Amino acid sequence: MQAEGSVLLVDDDVAVGQVLAALVHQAGLEAHVVTSAKDALKVLSARPVDVVVTDLQMPEMDGMQLLEAIGAKWPEVRVLMITAHGTIALAVEAMKKGAADFMLKPFDREEVVFTIKKAIKAAKHSEESPTSAVGNLGGFVGASEAMKQIYALIAKVAAGLATVLIRGETGTGKELAARAIHAQSPRKSGPFIKVQLASLPDTLLESELFGYEKGAFTGAATRKPGRVELAQAGTLFLDEIGDVSPAMQVKLLRLLQEREFERLGGTQTLKADVRFVAATHRDLENMVAKGEFREDLFYRLNVVPVKLPPLRERSEDIEPLARHFGATLGPANGKPAMDLDAAAAQLLRSAPWPGNVRQLQNFVERLVVLSNGPTITAADVQRELPTHPGLSEPIGPSGSGETATLDAKRRDVEREAITAALRQARDNRTLAARLLGVSRRTLYNKLDELGLLEA
Ligand SMILES: Nc1ncnc2c1ncn2[C@@H]1O[C@H](COP(=O)(O)OP(=O)(O)OP(=O)(O)O)[C@@H](O)[C@H]1O
Ligand SMILES: [Mg+2]
C-alpha cells in the first residue's frame, strides 16, 4: 500500500510507541518510532514528517518543549499530544500553544486513526496553499446581531490602510477576520502573509520577519527575504502579538512607526509597503498596566480595534455554524453531507463552547466521521460531548483502572474536569460553572461531593 503520509511517534514507553506504530501502519501510513524528544528532533532534521504524535510527560525534554521546538523550526508539521486522564488540562494548554489535537489514553483505535488522518490532511492542505484564501465573503457563517456588526466593521476598515487589532478568545475567528479584511481590501491581489509571533525565539523571529543577507550569520549561505518583504503590496498578519518579548516589541514598533526595516546583516534600509493586521487573545491593556507590553506599541496597533464575541454570547450562531460544518466536513472526509436534527441542535446550543467556533468545528467533524446515518442525532451529540474538555458534565469515555466502579470513575473524571475549569477560570466559580455547562448550584454540589469545597 502506498503510504499517504508520514507520522513520527514519540513516547518514552516503548510499548506505547509500538502499539501506535501498528495502528498507523494498518491505516496505510508510514511510522517512525523514537523514545525521546531529542531523537524526534533528529528525525525531523533528516526527513520530511507530516505529523508528530508525542507523549506529554517524558524525562529530559517533555512534550510541551518538543511542541515549542517544532513550532519554531517546522511550523508546517502538525503535533498531536498523547494525554492520560490526569493531564487533560495540560493538553488544553498544549493546544493553546499550537498543538493540533490530542488523544486520550487508553487509546480508542478508531479515534487514534481518525485524529492522525485528520492532522495529515490538514498538513497536506496547508502545504498546497499556505495562505489559502477564504473567498470574498470571508467564509463567515452566522447572522447574529453581534456578527453583523463585525461584518460591517470589516467591510469598512478593509478599504483603508490603518492598522487593525483583532481581539477575541481562542477560536472566535480572528485569523478568519484578518483574511477577510485582506480579501476585501484594495490589496486583495497582493499577498496575505502570516507571522506566528508566539513560540518563535527572538533570533529566529527576527530573521523570519526581516530576512537576512548572505553571510549574516553562520549558515546564511544566501540572501533570504523576510515576511515583511514577502508581504510587499499586500497584508502582513502579526498573529499572537501579545506574546512577543520586550526586545521584539521595540523592533515591531519601529516597523509600524517608520515602516522601515533592514535585513539582518544588511545596511540598506528598506520600505515596508504593507498593511498591518495584528491579533491576540491576550488582555493587552492589562499587560500595558503591568509593564509587560509597550504602551506606544499598543497605540500603534490599536488604531482600529475589532473585538470578536465568544460563541456563548451569540448562541443563535451555533446551529447555522454546526449545519455548515456538517454540510462541508462530510464531503471533506469522504462522507455525505450531514444534517442535524432539532434535538441535536438544541443540545449543541446549550453547550458552553469554551474553545468557541474552532471547538464546535472539531466537534462536528468528529460527529460526521463517527456517525453512520445522514443525520446527526441528539444521541450522537450526547455520546461525544464528554470527549471534549469543558463541554458537559463528563462521564469518562474509558476510565483508568479496570476494577474501579462506574461511580468512582465518574468522580475521577468530574474532579479532573472541575479542577481544569477552575484553573482556567482563575478560581472564579461562576465562570467555571459556565465553562462546564452546569449551574453554579450543581458545581457547588459537586465540589461538596468531591470534598473540594474548602479548597
Ligand atoms: N463565523 C465563522 N464561520 C465559519 N467558520 C468560522 C467562523 N469563525 C471561525 N471559523 C473557523 O473556526 C476555526 C478557528 O478560527 P480562527 O483560526 O480564525 O480563530 P482564532 O480566533 O484565530 O483562534 P486562536 O486564538 O486559537 O488562534 C477556523 O477553522 C475558522 O475557519
Ligand atoms: Mg489564530
Side-chain angles (χ1 to χ4, degrees), residues 271-317:
K271 278 269 165 222
D273 169 22
V274 298
R275 202 272 169 89
F276 296 103
V277 177
T280 182
H281 63 278
R282 287 183 176 256
D283 182 350
L284 288 186
E285 287 83 351
N286 189 18
M287 291 177 74
V288 168
K290 288 202 291 202
E292 292 165 4
F293 199 85
R294 293 183 67 104
E295 193 172 17
D296 44 10
L297 179 58
F298 173 69
Y299 287 116
R300 277 283 157 198
L301 290 166
N302 201 32
V303 182
V304 185
V306 174
K307 169 99 191 4
L308 293 175
L311 199 50
R312 63 181 170 279
E313 286 174 13
R314 43 178 167 121
S315 53
E316 66 266 47
D317 286 346

Side-chain angles (χ1 to χ4, degrees), residues 139-141 147 151 169-176 239-240 281 314 321 324-325 357-358 361:
F140 277 108
V141 171
M147 285 309 286
Y151 306 149
E169 291 177 13
T170 178
T172 46
K174 296 186 292 297
E175 181 163 346
L176 200 58
D239 200 11
E240 309 288 7
H281 63 278
R314 43 178 167 121
L321 277 165
H324 166 72
F325 293 138
V357 185
R358 177 180 298 108
Q361 184 178 16

Side-chain angles (χ1 to χ4, degrees), residues 393 418 422 425 427-448 453:
E393 293 186 54
I418 289 172
L422 282 170
D427 287 320
N428 176 326
R429 288 177 176 172
T430 308
L431 181 59
R434 225 158 126 185
L435 287 172
L436 292 162
V438 299
S439 68
R440 241 172 85 90
R441 160 114 253 137
T442 307
L443 178 61
Y444 271 93
N445 290 342
K446 294 278 177 204
L447 287 170
D448 197 7
L453 205 48

